Amino acid sequence: MTKVYNFSAGPAVLPKTVLEKAQNQLLNYKQSGMSVMEMSHRSAIFEEILEHAKAQVKELMNIPDTHSILFLQGGASMQFHMLALNYAQGKDVAYVDTGNWSQKAMDEASRYGTVHCIASSKDKNYSYIPEFSTDNLEKYAYLHLTTNNTLEGTAFTTLPKVNIPLILDASSNILSYDIDVSQTALIYAGAQKNIGAAGVTMVIIRNDFISDVKDLPPMLSYETMIKNNSLYNTPPTYGIYIAGLVFDWLQELGGVDAMIKLNTIKSNTLYDFIDHSDFYSCPVHGSDRSLTNIPFKSPNETLDAKFVKEATDKGLLNLKGHRLIGGMRASLYNAFPLEGVDALIAFMMQFEGENH
Ligand SMILES: *Cc1c(COP(=O)(O)O)cnc(C)c1O
């Protein structure tokens, strides 16, 4: 098998050591004679896996005792709906529109409440993070932000201090971004980008952030999920196990701070190269650039398509930009190695030489 680098935006590359550990334990987890996939979610052995994953991420993200950690299903897209069902019904809610995923979140919220878009970067194709005032937010039930915009390649560098519940979609930069969890009411992230395998959605929720809606369907009630420790029904057991292995790997490498350092080096290497080139360009405003998702373009769409094809032939996979954005996109999540960035730049230089 030839060496490949997987630039996918999600499901994305996982640490090789994590996959090897899962392989070693696949048939017989810790002398249990069973695979994790075969275990009852109510068994002591699975409970240990669940509690271990929670303890590891609690430490990694400095999650205070005021907050619960949930592992749910349905992806971040289900959270768009679930949080609106729980907290937006008949209320005014505030959203910052920073791109495709924020818009999807707003669409779901508008089924239940009155959505106020308090800032948007739509005027410039979502190439920057808009500024907004945190005064007079009291009339809103919550403020929703997308911390990293996976398609457009922008990210919040700091989070606003607000006196209403702050809700974050951190799907594409959780564990690559310093979040003060104590300042948040709810954080959600699909696992398939920076946590583990698709099928798990991690939610970090303040225990007193309780919906006042009566008779919520139990599968869509945060309160039910908190009370049952994610075990109201069968949770995505294998995905939780993989997330735990990724959390172990992160701990060994030095945690979120170490990841921010490494991701800064990886992304700066690529941004610097692009910024010094008159062939490639990145549409995103300098200080709002994402550490994890880097969109770029060649001089025209024909060359973009040629680039993606030739890169694929060289083992540089999944560089095609999102269909709504075009061009290319390199996703450099925690598990993506620095050598992969060097390999991409070497190819970019060669391609430019041949097509200038
Ligand atoms: C990928 C992504 C989503 C959608 O995730 P699903 O798990 O596919 O529902 C939502 N928000 C952001 C920021 C994303 O990157």
Side-chain angles (χ1 to χ4, degrees):
M1 201 171 66
T2 52
K3 174 105 192 138
V4 303
Y5 290 107
N6 179 9
F7 293 87
S8 171
V13 62
L14 284 167
K16 190 155 176 252
T17 53
V18 164
L19 296 175
E20 283 167 350
K21 180 113 197 235
Q23 182 182 44
N24 285 334
Q25 295 182 326
L26 184 66
L27 299 183
N28 183 5
Y29 176 79
K30 294 194 176 168
Q31 303 311 316
S32 66
M34 285 182 285
S35 173
V36 175
M37 277 183 243
E38 302 171 302
M39 287 172 187
S40 163
H41 57 294
R42 312 240 177 243
S43 62
I45 192 161
F46 180 73
E47 191 184 321
E48 210 175 275
I49 291 171
L50 173 63
E51 292 309 317
H52 176 74
K54 283 167 59 185
Q56 289 289 64
V57 77
K58 186 175 164 83
E59 192 176 316
L60 283 166
M61 292 184 65
N62 243 315
I63 300 171
D65 292 336
T66 45
H67 287 61
S68 292
I69 301 155
L70 305 176
F71 295 105
L72 308 181
Q73 302 190 45
S77 301
M78 179 71 97
Q79 291 307 302
F80 297 160
H81 187 99
M82 184 165 166
L83 70 91
L85 180 74
N86 279 256
Y87 308 115
Q89 291 203 49
K91 296 188 174 138
D92 291 287
V93 292
Y95 280 70
V96 174
D97 171 25
T98 48
N100 176 67
W101 291 122
S102 333
Q103 286 205 326
K104 291 236 160 85
M106 287 159 71
D107 287 348
E108 288 306 295
S110 61
R111 290 176 191 276
Y112 298 104
T114 307
V115 173
H116 297 260
C117 176
I118 62 162
S120 173
S121 50
K122 196 174 184 174
D123 60 338
K124 289 185 182 149
N125 281 323
Y126 298 115
S127 59
Y128 69 105
I129 295 290
E131 283 183 15
F132 55 94
S133 164
T134 53
D135 299 340
N136 304 317
L137 292 177
E138 295 76 13
K139 54 184 175 288
Y140 303 121
Y142 61 76
L143 169 65
H144 179 281
L145 307 177
T146 312
T147 57
N148 183 82
N149 298 281
T150 325
L151 279 58
E152 298 84 359
T154 61
F156 281 86
T157 41
T158 53
L159 292 173
K161 282 229 180 329
V162 292
N163 50 12
I164 58 170
L166 180 62
I167 298 184
L168 305 177
D169 176 359
S171 292
S172 51
N173 71 347
I174 193 151
L175 297 164
S176 293
Y177 179 54
D178 202 7
I179 299 174
D180 181 353
V181 178
S182 71
Q183 297 292 317
T184 67
L186 194 155
I187 303 168
Y188 61 97
Q192 69 272 24
K193 283 148 191 168
N194 224 359
I195 295 177
V200 187
T201 312
M202 188 165 76
V203 172
I204 301 163
I205 180 171
R206 212 177 58 214
N207 296 319
D208 64 3
F209 188 44
I210 296 295
S211 169
D212 56 16
V213 180
K214 298 276 169 279
D215 290 328
L216 286 169
M219 286 300 291
L220 296 173
S221 158
Y222 292 106
E223 196 179 359
T224 302
M225 290 299 156
I226 294 170
K227 279 192 179 142
N228 290 280
N229 189 23
S230 305
L231 296 167
Y232 172 78
N233 73 326
T234 316
T237 51
Y238 199 74
I240 294 169
Y241 158 74
I242 295 289
L245 294 185
V246 172
F247 299 152
D248 292 346
W249 172 82
L250 282 168
Q251 292 276 17
E252 271 164 38
L253 289 183
V256 174
D257 288 347
M259 284 302 123
I260 293 173
K261 278 199 194 105
L262 178 64
N263 292 338
T264 304
I265 295 171
K266 288 180 331 200
S267 59
N268 278 349
T269 305
L270 185 53
Y271 284 128
D272 280 351
F273 174 76
I274 293 169
D275 288 344
H276 285 99
S277 155
D278 52 17
F279 187 81
Y280 301 104
S281 60
C282 169
V284 179
H285 186 271
S287 60
D288 296 335
R289 286 174 166 178
S290 166
L291 294 189
T292 45
N293 306 94
I294 300 170
F296 61 95
K297 286 185 163 141
S298 76
N300 63 60
E301 283 176 20
T302 313
L303 283 175
D304 286 347
K306 188 166 184 244
F307 181 100
V308 171
K309 188 185 172 302
E310 290 180 16
T312 306
D313 293 343
K314 288 216 147 58
L316 305 170
L317 307 183
N318 294 312
L319 280 163
K320 191 173 182 337
H322 191 276
R323 65 197 141 77
L324 294 174
I325 308 287
M328 281 75 76
R329 171 178 50 174
S331 294
L332 308 177
Y333 298 121
N334 288 344
F336 191 90
L338 181 59
E339 312 91 77
V341 176
D342 295 335
L344 173 61
I345 290 174
F347 172 73
M348 288 169 82
M349 288 166 79
Q350 184 199 331
F351 186 84
E352 176 176 351
E354 289 165 4
N355 294 280
H356 213 142

